[in-house]
Amino acid sequence: MDIRHQAERRRTFAIISHPDAGKTTLTEKLLLYARAIHLAGSVKSRKASRHAVSDWMQMEKERGISVTTSVLQFEHRGKALNLLDTPGHADFSEDTFRTLAAVDTAVMLMDHAKGVEPRTQKLFEVCRLRKLPVVTFMNKLDRHGLDPLELLDQVSRTLDLKMAPVNWPIGKGDEFRGVVDVASREVSLFDAHGHGDQIVVAHRMPLTAAEAALGSSLFDSVWEDLELLEGAGEKYSHDAFLAGELSPVFWGSAMDNFGVEALLDYIVDHAAPPAPRSTQEGQVIAPTDDRFSGFIFKIQANMNPRHRDRIAFMRVVSGHFERGMDVVIGRTGETLRMAKPHSFLAQERSLVEEAWPGDIVGVYDSGKLRVGESLAAGTPTKFAGIPHFAPEYFGKMTLADPMRRKSLDSGLEQLAQEGVIQVLLRPGDTLANAILGAVGLLQFDVLAERLANEYNVRARFETLPYNHARWINGPQSAIDWLKNRSDCVFVTDSHGNPVVLAATEWTFKFALDKNKGLELHTVEPL
Ligand code: G4P
């Protein structure tokens, strides 16, 4: 079938938010409205017995958090949607950063009582780095929140992003009555009793006919708000949205199934189609390019304890992917047969016969693939990689049984390739005494648990007294200066890049003052 048609049909997106803003709830409701699931497992019942469809590992179930990124694929109104669910827990933000490399649009979810929270801001910065288009969903309108105009102003100033409301809330908290579409002036009425696990069809009417339903004082204030928006609000521009400069804003209550359908419709109609990608040589590969290409953005072992396997998640960049085809690994030139590619709906996996640009495919990996790897039909291709982010926690593993040293080495190597932790080597270090870095402390718990379960290695974790890492770029004299300091440690990352670790950021400031031409980066240079 025609590649252009298939690529245009795809929309690949992720939801970014601060924990507790309602991401799990919204994800489920999007699936519900797309008829991909029939009954949303409400968050309450998830915590009791059932689990949100996007939760995977045992740890997630026990702790009630999302640890890994899962991929949810579903169809809606003729579009094939790939929703990459991201871990909500702050400690797993590195996984989320990588996921953002594989999507074309991000949905930024906020609690309207809180506005921009730290995690949202950090994730948004990653979107900005990639110039990703961002759609905003203001959640929990059934509760009291900030004044909508002030909220938009706060978000716009904090993130330096234009905010253009697509719809506008009517009333607040207990008095919340629904939303009005800014362009069409159609009102959707909120039904406070409709919340739950089944689709609710909002009652709609033109604003001119809504006086009786809203009451005259609310009715008047909606007109005033719309007038104000027309005069002072940001005008929606689709080009500015696609360029990542302007975010359309939706309001609703994911818990009450309100506003979810409008968001889903917007994603289907307006989210960015699969984007082209650049290779390390600067060549741009368009989705419509005939030759298949893709890259690995995540590797996950042991996703399903019954399967005990290692799956590499690949984003298709161009061409037509078919089951059984041979592809070349860009880094090694080695050929791999794509014998059993999979698609996902949480725990449900099914074999895929084919995939198109924008799709996410799970590939069984025997240990040959790494995060950031490029795969292509025919000649090797190397896409610009996926960067690491500066770890903020450091430690090392000490074996309980020294005879398990080889298993510890292979466990650390593979888990680092998956991105569970970063391995940092001082000159002369071996894997077993390497410094381990993580963006969040919980990553070390996952490491210890997986070393025990998958490699039969019991190791004690000790924290090390560093808090900051920077990738180094600069003249040899600056590198030598850093190597000779006693208040920092010089290491190399898994790609061989030089990195400096320190207990305080003052060390870096001092180093920058003393060394002309020295650059210190919080994101790995590509
Ligand atoms: P997360 O994945 O972003 O961490 O958020 P999650 O969906 O787990 O939701 C976090 C909390 O916010 C949950 O409450 C959930 O019920 C609530 N929530 C989500 N959407 C809405 C909404 O639109 N309105 C209101 N009022 N609450 C919402 P919880 O206290 O953790 O659990 P529960 O006891 O309320 O179920």
Side-chain angles (χ1 to χ4, degrees):
M1 214 188 280
D2 174 25
I3 296 177
R4 179 174 300 276
H5 169 72
Q6 289 295 346
E8 276 169 7
R9 229 168 70 70
R10 259 78 189 162
R11 295 293 180 269
T12 305
F13 65 105
I15 304 174
I16 58 169
S17 71
H18 194 83
D20 264 357
K23 186 152 57 60
T24 312
T25 313
L26 180 64
T27 302
E28 285 196 325
K29 299 301 167 79
L30 287 170
L31 292 176
L32 180 71
Y33 274 82
R35 276 78 173 166
I37 53 174
H38 300 295
L39 216 60
S42 76
V43 178
K44 260 209 177 75
S45 65
R46 165 178 67 132
K47 277 173 187 160
S49 59
R50 281 167 44 204
H51 306 291
V53 282
S54 53
D55 277 5
W56 245 323
M57 289 166 73
Q58 191 60 27
M59 242 176 92
E60 298 183 316
K61 292 178 184 169
E62 282 165 9
R63 302 186 186 197
I65 52 169
S66 293
V67 178
T68 52
T69 308
S70 52
V71 183
L72 305 162
Q73 297 177 309
F74 53 101
E75 293 260 335
H76 190 57
R77 292 186 27 229
K79 291 277 184 349
L81 303 173
N82 291 282
L83 166 54
L84 278 62
D85 188 20
T86 52
H89 198 285
D91 281 3
F92 292 95
S93 46
E94 210 183 350
D95 209 15
T96 307
F97 297 154
R98 287 192 288 261
T99 299
L100 291 174
V103 301
D104 303 301
T105 304
V107 173
M108 177 163 68
L109 173 68
M110 280 185 209
D111 179 338
H112 81 131
K114 306 223 165 111
V116 181
E117 294 180 85
R119 218 21 65 176
T120 325
Q121 180 152 10
K122 197 155 180 187
L123 291 166
F124 174 76
E125 292 308 331
V126 181
C127 295
R128 190 197 300 284
L129 221 76
R130 291 207 47 228
K131 297 194 171 63
L132 265 188
V134 175
V135 186
T136 303
F137 187 82
M138 296 295 184
N139 194 25
K140 308 198 182 182
L141 263 286
D142 56 291
R143 286 195 199 155
H144 269 287
L146 303 170
D147 174 78
L149 278 172
E150 274 171 30
L151 175 61
L152 287 195
D153 192 45
Q154 182 231 57
V155 176
S156 177
R157 274 186 290 110
T158 315
L159 303 180
D160 188 19
L161 176 70
K162 293 177 185 160
M163 306 298 286
V166 174
N167 54 31
W168 193 250
I170 305 174
K172 289 183 190 131
D174 297 342
E175 257 88 66
F176 177 60
R177 302 304 306 278
V179 293
V180 55
D181 186 283
V182 173
S184 71
R185 312 227 147 160
E186 186 185 55
V187 171
S188 300
L189 288 180
F190 172 62
D191 173 5
H193 305 293
H195 96 242
D197 52 13
Q198 295 193 38
I199 289 180
V200 179
V201 181
H203 192 54
R204 294 179 196 188
M205 62 185 69
L207 178 59
T208 44
E211 184 162 6
L214 299 178
S216 54
S217 105
L218 210 48
F219 179 74
D220 289 345
S221 78
V222 177
W223 283 105
E224 277 170 25
D225 281 354
L226 287 175
E227 211 172 43
L228 203 67
L229 284 178
E230 209 165 327
E234 199 63 60
K235 297 274 169 309
Y236 178 76
S237 145
H238 195 56
D239 289 342
F241 162 65
L242 290 179
E245 292 159 5
L246 171 145
S247 179
V249 184
F250 292 81
W251 309 76
S253 161
M255 188 179 77
D256 290 310
N257 299 358
F258 188 77
V260 176
E261 194 163 24
L263 174 69
L264 183 62
D265 282 342
Y266 182 87
I267 292 167
V268 163
D269 294 330
H270 303 293
R277 286 193 81 92
S278 304
T279 65
Q280 286 175 16
E281 293 79 36
Q283 188 196 356
V284 175
I285 299 198
T288 48
D289 205 288
D290 280 344
R291 192 168 68 100
F292 158 76
S293 69
F295 64 91
I296 307 293
F297 64 95
K298 177 182 173 63
I299 293 179
Q300 172 82 58
N302 204 10
M303 254 178 5
N304 180 340
R306 277 177 298 146
H307 289 262
R308 288 232 165 246
D309 48 15
R310 203 170 124 111
I311 303 249
F313 289 85
M314 175 182 68
R315 149 91 197 221
V316 178
V317 173
S318 67
H320 183 201
F321 172 88
E322 284 173 289
R323 177 153 89 98
M325 78 191 297
D326 285 334
V327 301
V328 181
I329 305 176
R331 179 177 51 87
T332 59
E334 214 176 322
T335 299
L336 271 187
R337 171 144 305 167
M338 302 278 102
K340 279 210 271 169
H342 278 77
S343 66
F344 300 90
L345 184 64
Q347 270 113 335
E348 307 295 323
R349 307 180 187 180
S350 43
L351 272 181
V352 278
E353 294 301 327
E354 58 175 7
W356 302 91
D359 280 341
I360 309 297
V361 178
V363 181
Y364 281 98
D365 173 33
S366 59
K368 292 193 167 138
L369 297 173
R370 296 184 183 176
V371 169
E373 198 94 87
S374 309
L375 301 174
T379 47
T381 301
K382 282 192 201 167
F383 289 110
I386 300 176
H388 277 303
F389 289 80
E392 290 165 24
Y393 299 93
F394 302 87
K396 64 181 185 129
M397 288 291 181
T398 311
L399 271 176
D401 172 5
M403 301 297 281
R404 304 293 303 159
R405 160 101 191 255
K406 267 202 172 143
S407 304
L408 175 66
D409 281 1
S410 62
L412 284 179
E413 189 179 345
Q414 286 185 19
L415 294 173
Q417 279 171 20
E418 272 184 42
V420 174
I421 33 103
Q422 294 183 39
V423 168
L424 303 162
L425 298 173
R426 286 159 294 199
D429 263 356
T430 59
L431 268 176
N433 57 12
I435 295 180
L436 308 174
V439 174
L441 266 182
L442 221 54
Q443 279 175 261
F444 291 125
D445 289 359
V446 173
L447 175 69
E449 199 159 308
R450 293 193 52 189
L451 281 174
N453 290 339
E454 294 163 40
Y455 298 88
N456 195 18
V457 170
R458 309 223 168 255
R460 199 160 37 81
F461 178 75
E462 264 172 68
T463 50
L464 292 170
Y466 314 116
N467 299 99
H468 305 278
R470 295 287 183 275
W471 277 272
I472 308 169
N473 190 11
Q476 188 59 41
S477 57
I479 293 177
D480 291 340
W481 186 91
L482 284 168
K483 277 183 177 168
N484 287 325
R485 298 283 307 174
S486 60
D487 59 350
C488 60
V489 178
F490 179 86
V491 290
T492 46
D493 71 5
S494 53
H495 298 137
N497 294 313
V499 179
V500 58
L501 313 182
T504 83
E505 284 189 276
W506 286 104
T507 308
F508 302 146
K509 287 203 176 91
F510 187 59
L512 289 170
D513 270 355
K514 288 282 170 201
N515 294 279
K516 220 169 160 258
L518 175 67
E519 293 170 20
L520 297 174
H521 300 279
T522 51
V523 181
E524 180 188 8
L526 290 174

